[in-house]
Each structure stands twice: as structure tokens, then as C-alpha cells.
């Protein structure tokens, strides 16, 4: 039996109060398997919140579905189970705020600027921008998710800047100020590269498919650092 089948069997068929059942099932069904529990918690967070985000602009585009599959690959024989969970989240009477609050409690390392919850936000940004534009309602949705996840405003702006199609402000991408000296910026850059290394993602229970976003993240960090370095050399 796959972990999706175990999870859905524990949830039952109710859509009206699916959130509580999902969280409780993750806590209990996978209690003795922390690695699977982390993977399930992360995957459910992406599925549930992307389902709720679909309501933000009222449209679920094919490109958004493709983006979802890019970062969340599952066996074809589990497609119905994943779709069922997605639809339960979409139909649940609980709003996305409740989902974000409850799902954040599944992260045992949860604190301000929690890296696991940052991974979830990155995944949601990846889906939101798939149609070529992050709509204002989607951005407001994501900003509120960041607040619930206890992301600082600076950290959220740093995450958002990585997903701006024009490349964003390189200083925001690295979370530094134009007034910082270059050695400070360089230390910050190397710290971010270490923090977002693929091995760190694996230890956080992030599925291997998420490395698509990890690569995007590293490309954004590298581009931002190179832009600042070029600017400082020309000054």
C-alpha cells in the first residue's frame, strides 16, 4: 500500500472537515517513520495550498498543472489518489489560512524563517508564475501564507524576488542592502549557497523532484551575486 493510500484511508471520505483529518493522519499513520512523515507533510502542504491558491485567481491553467507535476512527480497509478487529496483540499470548508497554520505545525523545526516552510513557499511561487504572470491576488495569497509561516518581510521579499521574471532586485534576492560592503555580501551569498545545497533539501524531507526549484533558486542566487559583483567592479 502506498503512503497516499494509507493517508487517504485514514482520512475517510469527508470533504467538509478534511484538514483536521489530514493533519491527524500524518501525525499518527507515519509516526514511526520520520523520513516518510516529512516527505508526506511537505507533499500535502504543496497539494493543499496549491489547491487553495487555485481559488485565488479563480483559474487553474494547464501550465499551472504542468508546473505542479514538475516539482511533484508521482507514479501514474497514484494519480487518482493525489487528485482526490487535491479535491478534498479545494472543497474543504476551512480557508487557506487554517491550512497554512495547521500544516506549519507539522514542521518540527518550525520557527521564524523556517527553511522547510520556505521550500513550500518556493513551490507555490513556481506554480503561480507558470502562466507567465503572478497575479495580484496570488501574490497577496502568497504574502499572507508567508506571514502565517512567520516569514519576515525581508525574507519574503527575498523569496519573491527570485521568482520575478525580470530577475528581480539582486540585493533583495540575496537579502542584503546596497549599503553593505562587498565582503559582507560575499559571506551572505556563500551562506545561502550552503543553506540551499541539494543535500540540505534531502535532509528536510523534500522530494527529489523539487530539485527543479532548487536549481532555479541557485541560478537566481548566482545571477544576483554576479550582477552585484559586476556593479561593484565598475564603480
Amino acid at each position: 500500500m502506498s503512503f497516499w493510500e494509507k493517508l487517504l484511508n485514514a482520512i475517510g471520505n469527508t470533504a467538509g472537515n478534511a484538514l483536521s483529518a489530514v493533519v491527524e493522519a500524518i501525525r499518527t499513520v507515519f509516526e514511526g517513520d520520520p523520513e516518510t512523515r516529512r516527505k508526506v507533510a511537505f507533499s500535502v502542504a504543496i497539494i493543499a495550498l496549491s489547491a487553495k491558491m487555485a481559488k485565488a485567481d479563480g483559474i487553474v491553467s494547464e501550465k499551472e498543472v504542468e508546473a505542479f507535476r514538475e516539482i511533484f512527480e508521482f507514479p501514474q497509478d497514484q494519480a487518482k489518489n493525489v487528485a482526490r487529496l487535491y479535491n478534498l483540499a479545494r472543497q474543504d470548508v476551512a480557508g487557506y489560512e487554517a491550512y497554512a497554520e495547521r500544516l506549519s505545525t507539522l514542521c518540527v523545526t518550525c520557527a521564524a524563517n523556517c527553511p522547510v516552510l520556505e521550500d513550500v513557499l518556493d513551490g507555490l511561487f513556481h506554480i503561480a508564475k507558470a502562466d507567465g504572470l503572478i497575479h495580484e491576488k496570488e501574490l497577496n495569497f502568497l504574502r499572507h501564507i508567508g506571514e502565517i509561516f512567520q516569514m519576515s518581510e525581508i525574507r519574503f521579499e527575498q523569496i519573491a524576488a527570485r521568482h520575478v521574471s525580470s530577475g528581480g532586485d539582486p540585493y533583495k534576492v540575496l537579502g542584503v542592502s546596497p549599503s553593505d560592503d562587498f565582503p559582507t555580501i560575499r559571506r551572505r551569498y556563500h551562506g545561502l549557497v550552503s543553506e540551499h545545497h541539494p543535500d540540505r533539501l534531502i535532509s528536510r524531507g523534500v522530494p527529489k523532484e523539487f530539485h527543479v526549484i532548487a536549481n532555479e533558486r541557485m541560478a537566481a542566487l548566482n545571477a544576483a551575486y554576479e550582477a552585484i559583483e559586476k556593479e561593484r567592479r565598475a564603480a
Side-chain angles (χ1 to χ4, degrees):
M1 182 181 292
S2 73
F3 64 68
W4 294 114
E5 291 168 320
K6 290 181 181 178
L7 180 64
L8 288 165
N9 284 343
I11 294 171
N13 293 317
T14 178
N17 194 27
L19 170 61
S20 297
V22 168
V23 174
E24 188 58 30
I26 293 172
R27 290 190 190 282
T28 57
V29 175
F30 306 103
E31 184 177 10
D33 186 354
E35 183 176 350
T36 300
R37 176 176 166 173
R38 285 196 301 270
K39 181 181 291 187
V40 172
F42 176 86
S43 299
V44 167
I46 292 290
I47 293 171
L49 291 176
S50 64
K52 292 296 184 182
M53 186 170 66
K55 288 187 174 182
D57 64 357
I59 300 171
V60 182
S61 71
E62 274 301 315
K63 289 184 178 179
E64 287 176 330
V65 174
E66 289 173 10
F68 177 81
R69 290 300 301 265
E70 283 175 2
I71 62 170
F72 187 71
E73 187 175 351
F74 45 84
Q76 191 57 41
D77 63 357
Q78 294 303 309
K80 288 185 178 180
N81 288 324
V82 173
R84 181 181 163 200
L85 184 57
Y86 184 95
N87 287 327
L88 281 173
R90 190 168 55 181
Q91 297 167 26
D92 197 334
V93 293
Y96 74 87
E97 299 93 341
Y99 263 74
E101 289 168 2
R102 291 295 300 276
L103 289 169
S104 70
T105 68
L106 294 172
C107 178
V108 295
T109 61
C110 188
N113 300 325
C114 172
V116 176
L117 298 180
E118 181 172 344
D119 292 335
V120 172
L121 261 180
D122 256 332
L124 293 173
F125 263 106
H126 179 78
I127 295 169
K129 71 180 182 183
D131 56 5
L133 176 68
I134 298 179
H135 300 278
E136 184 178 355
K137 290 181 179 179
E138 290 175 324
L139 184 59
N140 290 337
F141 172 94
L142 292 165
R143 188 180 299 279
H144 196 190
I145 293 293
E147 292 171 355
I148 294 170
F149 283 176
Q150 299 182 54
M151 293 285 169
S152 68
E153 184 176 349
I154 292 175
R155 189 72 162 186
F156 179 84
E157 292 298 335
Q158 179 185 351
I159 297 168
R162 293 200 294 257
H163 294 276
V164 175
S165 59
S166 62
D169 182 338
Y171 291 95
K172 281 187 177 181
V173 172
L174 296 184
V176 295
S177 168
S179 62
D180 290 335
D181 60 31
F182 193 66
T184 298
I185 293 172
R186 183 169 54 238
R187 285 194 297 272
R188 172 64 175 166
Y189 164 70
H190 287 304
L192 288 170
V193 169
S194 175
E195 178 184 344
H196 298 301
H197 190 278
D199 288 347
R200 293 286 184 92
L201 295 182
I202 292 171
S203 69
R204 296 201 292 258
V206 176
K208 67 181 187 303
E209 294 80 21
F210 195 80
H211 287 188
V212 169
I213 289 182
N215 291 335
E216 286 184 0
R217 184 186 287 168
M218 291 301 297
L221 295 175
N222 291 336
Y225 180 74
E226 289 170 6
I228 294 173
E229 184 178 40
K230 183 177 180 179
E231 174 191 299
R232 297 297 174 98
R233 283 179 176 173

